[in-house]
Amino acid sequence: MTLDAVLSRVDTDFDASVARLMRLLEIPSISTDPAYAADCDAAAAWLAEDLTGIGLTASVRPTTGRAMVVGQGGDGGPHLLFYGHYDVQPADPLALWDSPPFEPRIEDGPRGKVLRGRGAADDKGQLMTFVEACRAWTAVHGALPCRLTVFFEGEEESGSPSLVPFLKDNADELSADVALICDTDMFDDTPAIVTQLRGLLGEEIIVTAANRDLHSGHYGGMAANPARVLAGILAGLHDDRGRITVPGFYDGVPPLDPMLRAQWDELGFVPGEFLGEVGLSQPAGEEGKSPLEMVWSEPTCEINGMISGYTGEGFKTVLPAQASAKLSFRLVGTQDPLAIRESFRAMVRDQIPPDCSVEFRDHGASPASHMRTDAPAFETARQALSREWEREAAFIGAGGSIPVAGYFQTHLGMDSLLIGFGRSDDAIHSPNEKYDLASFHKGIRSWVRILAALSA
Ligand code: BES
Ligand code: ZN
């Protein structure tokens, strides 16, 4: 049978697939740091060349930021668009890595062999599952099973500044029947299709008081302390029940659909295990919400960083002149990121006392996205995925954000099948990131089955 021939090809070529992924992982394509711009270009060029090697017409498309890569191939059948991102998070803190982040290595992991290195799971290993599936298909059949556009971004980890203009300028080329995105996780051992992603609003607050740091004995008690002012503001962002206090914040937060609640309940999520992996034990979200609701369907306000005063070794009696904090809000439903930004800033300004001033920095804003799972492609893909993993694939939510999924809906009128093979212990964005070789291997085989099923 033809599907079996392609799956066998994936198996026999697997060592070579790993070798190719390792070459891509050696390129430090960190998008947020301009010092790595040339490396981002190198990763884009590597991918365009690899796509060309499997018969696609591919090119690197410069933008005002990091380049995009677009490849076209196949014809007939449905038109699929595959999206992945080749940029990675910075490797810091470097000292916490057990081996250099851009010298990928195969190691023993908790469930078998893993490939360790920055970007192994997020998202180079995941995007290569799809490329390898296409390679195997083409090797066996001489052509792809349907019309395909491959689209790789190089700024996903830094707020995608060039993405929307690029989608608008290339709408004809990029619009397809359905998008495929490989940038999410499984649910433990259960393969999964993510049907909703949270949005993200990034804000930085900088509170300034005196024109220099002051002696805390000479001035303390009389002079305004911006660290104290900021701490008070941050502490007031949640009430006693864990509800966020920004006026209008909950506008557009829908109640959890009872059908979804039932599906999620069936997953048998054990919060103690999930938290136990990272040394915690108690869900700390809003009172009355279930743990999965807290990460999948409820919005959040989290402090990501705080800077003020003396943080070096020892002790210094000082009143800082400035205090700042970086915050992120995860958004759900139809919460409007720009309205929330305005409301948040107004609420902060109202709490700034005399002699203090406040400045804000914008770190991106994207709404949540929800897929219409009644489109036939969702059930087709779910069945193909279940066959590969010999386990019923689940529809799940995700707490993270992939802004492109929402932009595909708004600007190209297309829903996304969010299918990924990451695991919760992959340590994406953290030191010692890894991707299970089983995720990579069965991920490739999954895409072969999904491509066959969607093209049939
Ligand atoms: N791949 C992740 C998001 C993700 C991981 C979603 C696992 C679902 C399951 C993605 O690369 C990411 O980290 N996104 C950022 C958003 C971006 C705008 C910085 C995030 O969620 O913080
Ligand atoms: Zn990612």
Side-chain angles (χ1 to χ4, degrees), residues 402-418:
I402 305 179
V404 74
Y407 300 143
F408 281 163
Q409 291 179 310
T410 335
H411 300 289
L412 305 181
M414 160 173 88
D415 271 2
S416 298
L417 280 164
L418 292 145

Side-chain angles (χ1 to χ4, degrees), residues 212-332:
R212 58 180 168 86
D213 284 3
L214 305 172
H215 189 291
S216 70
H218 288 176
Y219 291 91
M222 181 163 49
N225 182 336
R228 226 174 93 195
V229 171
L230 182 63
I233 292 171
L234 298 178
L237 284 168
H238 294 84
D239 68 15
D240 295 346
R241 295 172 46 224
R243 298 269 296 178
I244 294 144
T245 55
V246 176
F249 184 76
Y250 286 92
D251 293 353
V253 178
L256 181 58
D257 176 337
M259 287 260 291
L260 262 188
R261 184 187 296 280
Q263 275 177 32
W264 292 358
D265 283 347
E266 259 179 48
L267 293 169
F269 179 70
V270 185
E273 278 174 19
F274 179 75
L275 291 173
E277 248 177 43
V278 294
L280 301 175
S281 62
Q282 297 298 317
E286 185 188 331
E287 241 176 65
K289 302 291 175 186
S290 74
L292 281 185
E293 273 179 279
M294 289 175 188
V295 280
W296 287 355
S297 61
E298 284 296 312
T300 67
C301 162
E302 293 292 356
I303 301 165
N304 303 122
M306 295 192 265
I307 310 169
S308 188
Y310 183 70
T311 57
E313 282 298 310
F315 194 72
K316 186 179 179 195
T317 49
V318 71
L319 271 186
Q322 203 166 67
S324 67
K326 295 177 200 271
L327 303 177
S328 61
F329 297 86
R330 296 279 171 178
L331 308 177
V332 302

Side-chain angles (χ1 to χ4, degrees), residues 123-252:
D123 180 40
K124 290 172 173 172
Q126 300 243 65
L127 74 83
M128 286 304 286
T129 58
F130 188 82
V131 175
E132 294 298 339
C134 293
R135 190 186 325 273
W137 194 286
T138 311
V140 172
H141 293 291
L144 290 164
C146 65
R147 182 168 168 212
L148 173 69
T149 301
V150 175
F151 172 38
F152 296 136
E153 186 194 355
E155 304 182 320
E156 196 271 351
E157 301 291 8
S158 50
S160 301
S162 312
L163 184 58
V164 171
F166 190 81
L167 293 182
K168 287 184 175 164
D169 290 348
N170 298 277
D172 284 346
E173 197 181 3
L174 298 173
S175 299
D177 296 313
V178 68
L180 310 173
I181 300 182
C182 191
D183 196 21
T184 49
D185 291 345
M186 311 216 306
F187 190 83
D188 290 334
D189 294 328
T190 304
I193 301 181
V194 168
T195 64
Q196 54 183 62
L197 290 160
R198 292 197 287 191
L200 187 63
L201 169 65
E203 283 283 274
E204 186 170 347
I205 323 177
I206 303 146
V207 180
T208 308
N211 56 16
R212 58 180 168 86
D213 284 3
L214 305 172
H215 189 291
S216 70
H218 288 176
Y219 291 91
M222 181 163 49
N225 182 336
R228 226 174 93 195
V229 171
L230 182 63
I233 292 171
L234 298 178
L237 284 168
H238 294 84
D239 68 15
D240 295 346
R241 295 172 46 224
R243 298 269 296 178
I244 294 144
T245 55
V246 176
F249 184 76
Y250 286 92
D251 293 353

